[in-house]
Amino acid sequence: FPVCTSIGNSAFQSCSALSVASFPVCTSIGNYAFQSCSALSVASFPVCTIVGDTAFQRCSALSVASFSACTSVLNNAFQLCSSLSIASFPVCTRIGQYAFQRCSALSVASFGAITSLGVEVFRSCSALSQIYFNFSTSNIPTINANVFANTPMSDSSYLGYFGSIYVPESLVDTVKAKNGWSVYADRITGYTPE
């Protein structure tokens, strides 16, 4: 679909044989667009800026989500994507509630200067070992204490850096003191964004 610029609501919902979705000029994905596409393993959307509600929910074969231009991931967008192991959203500023909930294979995730982080976004991502946020000084979001419930970030028995929340080095103390983040203070560590 080389000239498709947007995907409407429920466009490919439950297309059980669809394995690859490549839309090089698509800028928006509607609600439920690929929900329950159980064979979908590759999603390539290099200029997409918004992923709608429940857009990829229950895409159980989807293993990598790389959306280099995406600024908004809405509610339930990747919920229950049980094969998703890497999520890269370098310029994302908004993540809706439950967006990655129960992505049990998700191990590494990276996001941009997030200003809004919904409730239980990463709840029960039991393999989440590293997550990166490139916060700006003035826009660190307040979070619900259940954002990382049932993940390595909420289990104090993990040692070393497994289950770490990485934030810019200069903001470590600020993030630790912010509402909601203090619950995970022991898991917050600094890094230098590229």
Side-chain angles (χ1 to χ4, degrees), residues 134-147:
N134 188 10
F135 293 131
S136 64
T137 306
S138 60
N139 288 313
I140 300 167
T142 296
I143 62 168
N144 179 281
N146 290 324
V147 165

Side-chain angles (χ1 to χ4, degrees), residues 71-137:
T71 57
S72 296
V73 178
L74 302 187
N75 300 341
N76 308 91
F78 294 92
Q79 186 182 41
L80 294 161
C81 289
S82 56
S83 297
L84 184 64
S85 60
I86 298 172
S88 178
F89 294 81
V91 296
C92 185
T93 58
R94 175 188 176 198
I95 307 175
Q97 62 186 4
Y98 317 115
F100 294 91
Q101 186 187 55
R102 295 178 66 186
C103 289
S104 55
L106 184 62
S107 61
V108 179
S110 60
F111 298 93
I114 295 291
T115 59
S116 177
L117 200 57
V119 299
E120 300 191 13
V121 172
F122 301 101
R123 187 183 185 105
S124 298
C125 291
S126 54
L128 189 59
S129 62
Q130 301 170 58
I131 189 164
Y132 295 81
F133 294 105
N134 188 10
F135 293 131
S136 64
T137 306

Side-chain angles (χ1 to χ4, degrees), residues 50-66:
I50 184 167
V51 179
D53 290 341
T54 319
F56 292 92
Q57 185 191 54
R58 296 185 187 276
C59 289
S60 55
L62 186 64
S63 59
V64 177
S66 182

Side-chain angles (χ1 to χ4, degrees), residues 12-37:
F12 296 93
Q13 187 178 32
S14 300
C15 289
S16 58
L18 181 66
S19 61
V20 176
S22 180
F23 292 81
V25 295
C26 177
T27 58
S28 65
I29 300 172
N31 301 339
Y32 307 98
F34 294 93
Q35 185 193 36
S36 299
C37 289

Side-chain angles (χ1 to χ4, degrees), residues 134 191-194:
N134 188 10
Y191 81 109
T192 302
E194 295 180 359

